[in-house]
Amino acid sequence: MSKIQASKNPVQIVEQSRIAQPMGTTLDRFIKNNQDQFAYASGELSQLLRDIALASKVVNREVNKAGLIDIMGALGSQNTFGESQQKLDVLANIRFTRALMKGGEACAIISEETESFVDLTNHGKYVIAIDPLDGSSNIDVNVSIGTIFSIYRRKTKEGTPISEEDILQRGEEQVAAGYVLYGSSTMLVYTTGFGVNGFTYEPTLGEYFLSHPDLKMPEDGKIFSVNESGLATFPAPVVNYLQFCKAQNYTGRYIGSLVADFHRNMLKGGIYIYPTSAHAPEGKLRLMYECNALAFIAEQAGGKATDGVQRILSIQPKTLHQRTAFYVGSKKMVEQAAGA
Ligand code: AHG
Ligand code: MN
Ligand code: MN
């Protein structure tokens, strides 16, 4: 008979385990457990999500040190839109690009920080659109910022040069999308089209843990998030809707970091609106790496996203950095604001 025997009292360990709170499911385990939901399950999308999560941990580290080392403030350069680039914008872009290049699953990257897309000239199957650092004007004042990403499958044959049809895909063709919120805690929220799940970063362990399973956005809400400086030239339905919100004593909340405003509204019920105005005739936000990802997540959580007329996910992009008006959040609120 073997000298090595099973413990006679596993119950005791179960009893004792009550004093140590379970940590729950790590992001890696969750991705692995749910890999089979995905139609093309070959592990590459899972690895891609892990690459993005790893890069976000590095960016998180840099964001948290921002006040201590010389990475705050403007870099002195401008991005495609003539907007002043912050050092962290550029740093975050480098971190994500490097992780995606090393990983090998992505074949092309569309980024807010680069004028043209980057063809990684490899055999990767996925195209990534990313806003590496969203809300950069909030960096220097220690207010929440984020990262937004969309993942598409490439359409043309692997190993050939990336073409327009790989890049200019409609939002409804996303296979996954997510965001990272660098807030009072850091969170990664993503969808692969089977609901939305949120993970909170545990910095001492260096792991994301599932904290918000199967997130659902309340169907209606009482928070409106809009920069009202352009009110005089907003479309009439938006002006009317804001009057309605105020008459109902709804709460106005606007951080100026899209990810943070969206996240709050998803949890509490609310609407974020960045409409067209004289100042921003086509809206301000970018379809391909800001709106599409959040629209996908909103719909997966039971919410809605439009440009005031049509569903964001149905818009055929014509250019890489195309802007759009953006109404996103609780279904009833978005319908009413768009004058439906
Ligand atoms: P980014 O920092 O990536 O350029 O994005 C800023 C965006 C978005 O995060 C925010 O909701 C919006 O711009 C704020 O714009 P206003 O300052 O015009 O309100
Ligand atoms: Mn942004
Ligand atoms: Mn940005």
Side-chain angles (χ1 to χ4, degrees), residues 199-221:
F199 299 79
T200 300
Y201 186 57
E202 212 295 21
T204 59
L205 297 173
E207 289 273 16
Y208 283 104
F209 287 93
L210 180 63
S211 53
H212 297 64
D214 198 18
L215 272 166
K216 291 287 174 232
M217 190 177 259
E219 206 185 347
D220 204 355

Side-chain angles (χ1 to χ4, degrees), residues 3-54:
K3 285 183 186 158
I4 304 170
Q5 289 178 3
S7 165
K8 289 202 179 73
N9 198 0
V11 178
Q12 190 190 357
I13 295 176
V14 174
E15 292 274 306
Q16 283 173 347
S17 77
R18 287 201 191 111
I19 61 170
Q21 204 168 7
M23 291 303 295
T25 310
T26 64
L27 175 65
D28 279 3
R29 184 169 294 276
F30 184 88
I31 290 173
K32 191 164 177 283
N33 290 349
N34 291 283
Q35 187 169 303
D36 295 344
Q37 286 178 329
F38 186 58
Y40 313 94
S42 60
E44 283 148 309
L45 180 70
S46 300
Q47 187 52 42
L48 185 53
L49 289 166
R50 282 194 284 265
D51 293 343
I52 291 173
L54 176 62

Side-chain angles (χ1 to χ4, degrees), residues 89 112-113 131-136 286 290:
D89 280 327
E112 181 185 19
E113 303 305 328
D131 178 355
L133 222 292
D134 171 67
S136 10
R286 278 58 63 105
E290 289 181 318

Side-chain angles (χ1 to χ4, degrees), residues 180-244:
V180 183
L181 172 59
Y182 311 96
S184 46
S185 60
T186 295
M187 279 195 73
L188 189 150
V189 176
Y190 82 98
T191 182
T192 53
F194 298 91
V196 180
N197 290 283
F199 299 79
T200 300
Y201 186 57
E202 212 295 21
T204 59
L205 297 173
E207 289 273 16
Y208 283 104
F209 287 93
L210 180 63
S211 53
H212 297 64
D214 198 18
L215 272 166
K216 291 287 174 232
M217 190 177 259
E219 206 185 347
D220 204 355
K222 291 186 165 36
I223 299 172
F224 60 102
S225 312
V226 53
N227 177 349
E228 287 193 63
S229 77
L231 184 69
T233 55
F234 280 174
V238 178
V239 175
N240 294 340
Y241 184 67
L242 293 175
Q243 264 167 9
F244 165 84

Side-chain angles (χ1 to χ4, degrees), residues 78 91 116 152 285:
Q78 294 185 339
L91 260 177
S116 201
Y152 299 85
L285 299 173

